[in-house]
């Protein structure tokens, strides 16, 4: 896949992702800021070319034809504006460098009880890692048996 196609696919995915819609709350702080900055740069470019309604359309209805339309417009803008292309490339490189691994077993849950056993979260990575068994949940009784979280890096 050529770089422009890969970049547009990544960007189109960001516009349709739940993380972007939720303001990046599910992402790490550094990554969230970069995603927000990337989306702002693209929104501003679409506004300058009076095509911002296409972004709204893909966010509301992330169908394949709508996503392809965003990709087509992005490719045209990238090919036409080298400064814009370089700005996107730099932000995407920063996002790649700030990659985070997130492992969560139970998140944003409510209930009377949770019983779980044999939970193993094992990561070997240079990337930022977040591991959680239970996060942001309202559970009255939690019984865990044999829980192991491992993070190895060089």
């Amino acid at each position: 896949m050529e770089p422009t196609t890969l970049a547009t696919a990544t960007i189109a995915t960001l516009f349709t992702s739940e993380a972007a819609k939720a303001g990046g709350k599910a992402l790490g702080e550094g990554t969230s800021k970069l995603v927000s900055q990337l989306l702002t740069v693209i929104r501003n470019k679409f506004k300058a070319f009076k095509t911002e309604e296409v972004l709204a359309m893909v966010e509301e209805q992330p169908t394949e034809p709508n996503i392809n339309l965003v990709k087509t417009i992005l490719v045209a803008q990238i090919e036409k504006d080298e400064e814009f292309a370089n700005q996107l490339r730099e932000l995407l490189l920063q996002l790649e460098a700030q990659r985070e691994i997130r492992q969560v077993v139970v998140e944003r849950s409510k209930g009377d009880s949770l019983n779980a056993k044999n939970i193993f979260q094992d990561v070997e990575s240079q990337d930022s890692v977040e591991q959680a068994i239970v996060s942001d949940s309202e559970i009255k009784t939690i019984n865990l048996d044999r829980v192991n979280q491992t993070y190895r890096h060089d």
Side-chain angles (χ1 to χ4, degrees):
M1 191 179 292
E2 72 178 67
T4 301
T5 305
L6 181 59
T8 57
T10 300
I11 292 165
T13 300
L14 285 174
F15 272 98
T16 60
S17 75
E18 290 302 316
K21 290 177 186 175
K25 290 177 186 166
L27 302 170
E29 185 178 328
T31 302
S32 177
K33 286 179 183 177
L34 285 172
V35 168
S36 178
Q37 188 176 355
L38 179 65
L39 296 177
T40 298
V41 166
I42 294 164
R43 279 192 171 93
N44 289 341
K45 189 66 168 179
F46 273 65
K47 282 180 188 176
F49 281 88
K50 299 188 182 346
T51 55
E52 66 266 27
E53 69 277 351
V54 175
L55 292 178
M57 185 174 63
V58 79
E59 288 174 311
E60 291 173 21
Q61 297 178 331
T63 63
E64 191 171 335
N66 290 348
I67 292 169
N68 288 335
L69 181 57
V70 167
K71 289 179 188 179
T72 300
I73 293 170
L74 267 173
V75 167
Q77 292 172 345
I78 288 169
E79 290 174 353
K80 189 174 184 175
D81 185 342
E82 188 174 337
E83 184 179 329
F84 176 64
N86 289 336
Q87 195 174 14
L88 292 182
R89 188 177 301 111
E90 180 59 32
L91 287 168
L92 289 170
L93 286 172
Q94 288 178 40
L95 270 172
E96 178 64 26
Q98 204 158 24
R99 187 173 43 198
E100 297 177 4
I101 296 172
R102 188 167 189 270
Q103 296 179 320
V104 180
V105 177
V106 178
E107 184 172 49
R108 288 188 287 276
S109 298
K110 294 180 180 183
D112 290 330
S113 66
L114 168 68
N115 296 303
K117 64 181 178 177
N118 298 325
I119 298 173
F120 298 95
Q121 294 179 328
D122 188 16
V123 177
E124 183 172 352
S125 175
Q126 295 295 335
D127 299 323
S128 174
V129 175
E130 175 190 351
Q131 294 175 309
I133 302 301
V134 180
S135 173
D136 193 23
S137 296
E138 298 175 18
I139 301 172
K140 294 177 184 171
T141 305
I142 299 175
N143 295 309
L144 302 175
D145 186 21
R146 292 186 296 268
V147 175
N148 184 356
Q149 294 178 311
T150 306
Y151 170 53
R152 296 180 310 279
H153 59 88
D154 294 325

